[in-house]
Amino acid sequence: QQQVKQSPQSLIVQKGGISIINCAYENTAFDYFPWYQQFPGKGPALLIAIRPDVSEKKEGRFTISFNKSAKQFSLHIMDSQPGDSATYFCAASTQGKSTFGDGTTLTVKP
Amino acid sequence: EAGVVQSPRYKIIEKKQPVAFWCNPISGHNTLYWYRQNLGQGPELLIRYENEEAVDDSQLPKDRFSAERLKGVDSTLKIQPAELGDSAVYLCASSPSARSAQYFGPGTRLLVL
């Protein structure tokens, strides 16, 4: 049973545009929701994370929006740049155990 | 601060051969994770250590996979014998505690022929 569903699978955005990636979860015990960025040949790197007691967190061009009642959260990348082209994974964690989405491949065209 | 170190970075073996992966976590990180990442998918947890104790190994195929974390620092993941379906990237991650952010190493890319 896949507990974290991520969409879209791939995304193409023009430079300067907004990239939006969505995730939905099932287990209400999840209490930590990180987003990771992964470049080819590298391990995932933590981008930004949120706990369910807040509805939004912003760090630079990256924002997480969290909807606890809908069990959904999303990553917004403002002013997308070609250097943002990578695979993005959402994850949901409880008691130290993380479940990852299947990833979104983002391509930002110059 | 040095990140998570993994070796080797790449490994090609014949099926039925043994293989081992090594991980050195970030200094002071008590929690260590081993993940497997198949192509086009997110990482899947194999085992989690708190210090030297394996606290979650429910997804580890114990008939062929084994892991250890001696002295609560470095860790080794072993596969014996390897099967074609074991071809994947094996990622090690560490965190200060179970409820903290995880920091991943670069992974070991395994190809079983």
Side-chain angles (χ1 to χ4, degrees), chain A residues 12-19 61 77-85 106-110:
Chain A
I12 300 174
V13 174
Q14 291 294 128
K15 178 182 176 181
I18 302 174
S19 303
R61 297 185 294 111
I77 305 174
M78 310 299 288
D79 187 27
S80 299
Q81 300 296 312
D84 296 331
S85 297
L106 171 65
T107 302
V108 181
K109 293 197 168 184

Side-chain angles (χ1 to χ4, degrees), chain A residues 29-85:
Chain A
F30 289 137
D31 59 5
Y32 181 66
F33 301 88
W35 284 90
Y36 293 87
Q37 179 187 57
Q38 187 174 29
F39 292 104
K42 306 289 186 182
L46 179 67
L47 198 59
I48 187 172
I50 198 168
R51 296 199 185 271
D53 53 343
V54 297
S55 59
E56 186 175 281
K57 183 175 182 179
K58 183 176 181 179
E59 290 184 0
R61 297 185 294 111
F62 301 94
T63 299
I64 298 179
S65 296
F66 185 80
N67 186 328
K68 188 174 181 178
S69 61
K71 293 188 284 186
Q72 295 176 347
F73 57 110
S74 60
L75 175 69
H76 292 63
I77 305 174
M78 310 299 288
D79 187 27
S80 299
Q81 300 296 312
D84 296 331
S85 297

Side-chain angles (χ1 to χ4, degrees), chain B residues 62-76:
Chain B
K62 298 181 184 62
D63 57 335
R64 298 184 300 109
F65 286 64
S66 64
E68 61 181 7
R69 189 183 185 195
L70 299 177
K71 300 181 181 179
V73 182
D74 294 0
S75 179
T76 302

Side-chain angles (χ1 to χ4, degrees), chain A residues 9 31-32 36 38 40-46 51 89 93-103, chain B residues 9 33 35 37 40-43 45 48 56 58-59 91 98-107 109:
Chain A
Q9 188 174 16
D31 59 5
Y32 181 66
Y36 293 87
Q38 187 174 29
K42 306 289 186 182
L46 179 67
R51 296 199 185 271
F89 293 95
S93 300
T94 179
Q95 297 181 328
K97 184 168 185 174
S98 295
T99 301
F100 287 77
D102 280 339
Chain B
R9 291 296 314 277
Y33 308 79
Y35 289 91
Q37 185 175 26
Q41 297 182 12
L45 181 69
R48 173 167 66 97
D56 185 353
S58 57
Q59 301 302 311
L91 294 163
R99 297 193 77 237
S100 304
Q102 296 180 33
Y103 298 85
F104 284 82
R109 189 172 300 273

